[in-house]
Structures are given as structure tokens and as C-alpha cells.
Amino acid sequence: MTATIESPRSARTQQHSRFNFEKWGWIYMRASGVVLIVLIFGHLFVNLVAGAGVKAIDFGFVGGKLSQPFWQIWDTLLLWLALIHGANGMRTIVNDYAANPLVRRIFKGALLASAVLLILLGTLVIYTFDPCPAGSPAELLPSFCAAK
């Protein structure tokens, strides 16, 4: 007696693409988490331990850091990785708890919009910040600003 295999009762409703978004989202969370730990502890060490502590953090300190390309890139990486990491985590929570497909789509659209807006605004601030604004009193400017 030969066993026969019956065909499925319903057709496949969704074709699976070669790109597995959930898998790559999972990998991103692990990789970005490791990089974020390095970036965050480096940020905390430079701001709080290596200098004069929290008392030294003022406009001049921030202006001095953001006037150097190394710290611009460091802060940009920190901003981008943290926001994308957080938005991806929130997307996972929305997928788990939002049962209605329309509500899920609205929440995920709001997450995408807010992450993109914050990334754009944060990047704009990092690269357009002027530590030596014209017309400012000299005593308020960082020491590296030339007298104007």
C-alpha cells in the first residue's frame, strides 16, 4: 500500500520574498546594541570622568566637542543607531500587541515618521551648530573662538 500526499486545502496567501525583514531586524538589534554600548560608555567617560565632571559641561564644552569632526561623527553614530534601535524595538512591540492591522500600520507609520524627523533634526544640529555665534559676548564664548 502506497501512501499518498494530499494537496493543501487552501492556496498560499502570501509569497515569501528572499529578504527576511524580521531576521535582519533581529541581527541589527544585536549588532547596534554592542556598538551603542561602546558609544554610550565612551560618551559618558569623556563627558563625566575624563574632564572636570558634570560641572564642566556648558556651552563651551559642547561647542568645543561639536567643532571637531571626530565628535561630530561619534555623536551622529550615537544618534542614528540609538534612534533606529529604539524605533525597531517599538516596531516589535507594536507587532506583538496591536492586533488590528490598521492600528498596527498607523503606529508603525508614526514610529517611522518620528524616527526620521528626529534623525534629520539631530543630524542638522550636529553639523550646523556654531560654537562661535556672531555678536555674542566674548566672556560667554569658548576659548577657541577668535575675537570678532
Side-chain angles (χ1 to χ4, degrees):
M1 193 153 130
T2 9
T4 58
I5 300 174
E6 294 182 23
S7 61
R9 295 183 185 170
S10 61
R12 290 175 76 177
T13 56
Q14 181 183 12
Q15 292 294 328
H16 294 284
S17 66
R18 290 183 162 266
F19 183 77
N20 187 342
F21 189 78
E22 292 299 323
K23 178 181 93 172
W24 287 106
W26 184 88
I27 291 170
Y28 174 81
M29 292 299 276
R30 273 62 190 170
S32 67
V34 170
V35 176
L36 277 168
I37 287 173
V38 172
L39 291 172
I40 290 167
F41 281 110
H43 175 83
L44 291 173
F45 179 79
V46 168
N47 288 345
L48 302 176
V49 177
V54 77
K55 295 179 287 188
I57 299 177
D58 58 3
F59 182 83
F61 180 81
V62 174
K65 275 184 69 179
L66 289 180
S67 66
Q68 300 170 17
F70 175 80
W71 290 113
Q72 287 178 333
I73 293 169
W74 185 284
D75 287 347
T76 302
L77 279 172
L78 187 59
L79 172 77
W80 280 59
L81 288 174
L83 280 171
I84 295 170
H85 185 95
N88 192 33
M90 289 300 297
R91 180 193 62 82
T92 303
I93 292 170
V94 167
N95 282 340
D96 287 346
Y97 290 105
N100 186 329
L102 178 62
V103 172
R104 188 179 313 125
R105 186 174 293 129
I106 290 170
F107 282 164
K108 285 166 47 173
L111 280 170
L112 177 65
S114 62
V116 167
L117 180 69
L118 289 171
I119 285 171
L120 289 174
L121 289 175
T123 304
L124 181 71
V125 167
I126 290 171
Y127 288 100
T128 61
F129 181 76
D130 184 11
C132 306
S136 296
E139 65 272 4
L140 296 178
L141 292 175
S143 59
F144 60 82
C145 291
K148 295 183 182 184

